Every structure is written in C-alpha cells, then in structure tokens.
Amino acid sequence: MTLESSEREFTARYLEFAADGLLYPQTEGSPLLEFSSGGRVLYLFDRCGPYAAAPGPAHVVVHGILHDLTLLPDGEEQVEQLSVQGVSSVEGRGRVLTAGPRQTWVVQARIPLVLSSFSVNPALSPGDWVTFRTTPPLHGFVVGRDSRSHR
C-alpha cells in the first residue's frame, strides 16, 4: 500500500491542515527541518527538496506514520496533548478532524497532524478523540509562507 502518489498530490490534499510555525535555518547537509509550532520543536524529514525552505514563518504539513492509534475511552479527559519522543517522533492525544483515504487521519493535537497507518486501525470519524504514537521520522511538506491564500 502507498500513502501518496506524489508529494504534490499529498501536499495539495492536506494543504488546509498545514501547521503555522517557524522554520529555523537548516544545518548544512542535514535532511531535517527544525520547525517550531504549537509550543513544540519538531525535526521533520524535508520532503520538498534540500534547501528549498527558507528560514522564518512557514506553513508545513506535518505527516507521521503511526506506531499505534487508539480510540480514547469514554470518560477520559479530552485535552490536546503532544510530546516529542526522540529525534523525530511524537505521541499525543487529540481530536480527529478528518478520516481520509489510505488509512490516513488528520488529528488536532496542539497542531494539525496528518497521521497514516500501514496496519488496520479502528474505524474513526471526525470528532472522535484518540491517543497516538508515531514512528520516526516525521515528514514535513513546506507549503509556503502564505499558503492560506491558496485555499
């Protein structure tokens, strides 16, 4: 199973869920973007090409491959949480915004995250609350400084 047919198609599909934040200058030779958003600093595998992203304010589609995803049990506190694990993975709790094709969901957990799975996961609907953990690395699709005007 593939999660995307091209980076352009993937970016266009999830453009409206790009996170607002700040890109820091890239280290020479590093494929990782340092992106600050939602009070967290994330290291994202640059999917848009080396050195294509300029430092400063940016809109980035943050994509993670799920290690696990669980529907939040009834009665659990519905509060967005996001914590960085290791160099480039996260775990958290959030609300499902969309359930898309190819076992992909958008979850609001301090920032919007596009989360995909290669294994079977629970049937989720917008509004459901979930807990999740991703595998490294997180992927970053930089969609520009003013992507909101392209909606």
Side-chain angles (χ1 to χ4, degrees), residues 24-90:
Y24 293 99
Q26 272 184 276
T27 304
E28 183 69 30
S30 174
L32 296 179
L33 298 169
E34 188 174 2
F35 180 60
S36 175
S37 183
R40 303 292 181 264
V41 176
L42 305 174
Y43 291 90
L44 310 173
F45 182 74
D46 185 358
R47 293 297 306 275
C48 297
Y51 312 110
H59 304 294
V60 178
V61 175
V62 179
H63 180 230
I65 304 300
L66 289 163
H67 181 270
D68 59 60
L69 176 71
T70 307
L71 189 60
L72 195 66
D74 289 338
E76 289 280 329
E77 186 177 26
Q78 296 180 342
V79 174
E80 293 178 19
Q81 298 174 350
L82 186 66
S83 60
V84 177
Q85 304 296 307
V87 173
S88 186
S89 65
V90 293

